[in-house]
Amino acid sequence: SVPHGFMGIHHSLLPKYRGGSPLVWAVINGEKIVGTTLFSFTEGMDDGDIWAQESLEVDDHDYISDLLAGLEEKAVSILKEKYIAILEKKTRPSPQNHEEATFCAQRIPEDGLIDWNKGALEIFNFIRAQSEPYPGAFTFFNNKKLIIWQANPEKMVYYGSPGQVARKSDGLVYVICGDNRPIVLETVE
């Protein structure tokens, strides 16, 4: 018998970002605050009662690995702080507000393809959301797949076609985005 049922950790501030790859989607969407939730498993998708939540502010240059490390620390802290109270029935969970729920589709490798028609900041978020330990955002150049692990958006204006290499300098590559702002690629495989 499991008196409280089964519980899990979900790296989102439930009821937001229920489903697969919640942290990746949050970074892609440019969220400034992310979090982790200890919740009860139910038949539904991440819709069980919430035992505890912790949030984490997203710095403009945090990559997914930075956020994962911070959220893992917070999840361990939640468990250390709450598990005795839960076992001793000294705390109770709170129901989620299902009207505020948002959902995430499970990601597949093809979802990492960069759409250069988007703005530089959107593309930057897309790259940092899928960097290590995930498979990485990618593009094709001369029919070769290039995985992009790091990049920086720039404010300067470059006119040209989205995806066009506008400049190469000191090992850096400036690629034009849909808003005529470049992404500067630091590491290309």
Side-chain angles (χ1 to χ4, degrees):
S1 170
V2 182
H4 298 294
F6 290 96
M7 296 176 202
I9 294 284
H10 188 74
H11 283 330
S12 83
L13 293 170
L14 291 173
K16 303 289 186 200
Y17 293 99
R18 291 178 181 172
S21 306
L23 188 57
V24 172
W25 284 112
V27 175
I28 287 173
N29 290 337
E31 296 286 354
K32 296 299 184 192
I33 305 265
V34 294
T36 192
T37 303
L38 175 64
F39 72 107
S40 293
F41 286 146
T42 60
E43 293 290 323
M45 184 189 311
D46 304 325
D47 64 356
D49 291 347
I50 294 172
W51 291 90
Q53 283 187 325
E54 289 283 336
S55 62
L56 180 67
E57 191 170 329
V58 179
D59 182 79
D60 289 342
H61 294 286
D62 281 338
Y63 279 76
I64 196 86
S65 60
D66 303 313
L67 299 173
L68 282 167
L71 291 177
E72 287 167 11
E73 283 181 25
K74 289 191 177 285
V76 169
S77 175
I78 285 172
L79 292 173
K80 284 181 179 178
E81 182 183 319
K82 296 286 184 179
Y83 86 97
I84 295 293
I86 291 170
L87 292 175
E88 294 177 352
K89 298 182 181 180
K90 292 181 179 174
T91 188
R92 301 183 70 72
S94 301
Q96 293 187 39
N97 182 345
H98 302 296
E99 292 178 9
E100 293 180 0
T102 60
F103 299 89
C104 304
Q106 192 66 39
R107 296 188 58 80
I108 58 174
E110 293 79 19
D111 290 336
L113 180 62
I114 297 169
D115 178 357
W116 295 105
N117 291 302
K118 294 189 178 205
L121 183 56
E122 286 178 278
I123 293 172
F124 172 64
N125 288 341
F126 190 79
I127 290 167
R128 68 189 183 129
Q130 298 176 86
S131 194
E132 294 180 303
Y134 297 116
F138 64 91
T139 191
F140 288 92
F141 184 73
N142 292 335
N143 295 321
K144 182 180 177 194
K145 182 178 180 179
L146 300 174
I147 299 173
I148 300 171
W149 297 109
Q150 290 186 323
N152 280 308
E154 290 289 333
K155 293 182 180 177
M156 63 192 76
V157 172
Y158 275 90
Y159 296 111
S161 301
Q164 179 180 0
V165 173
R167 177 176 153 206
K168 294 179 187 176
S169 173
D170 299 322
L172 300 176
V173 178
Y174 294 69
V175 181
I176 299 171
C177 302
D179 60 356
N180 295 316
R181 305 277 190 247
I183 279 281
V184 180
L185 306 181
E186 296 177 356
T187 304
V188 179
E189 249 181 41

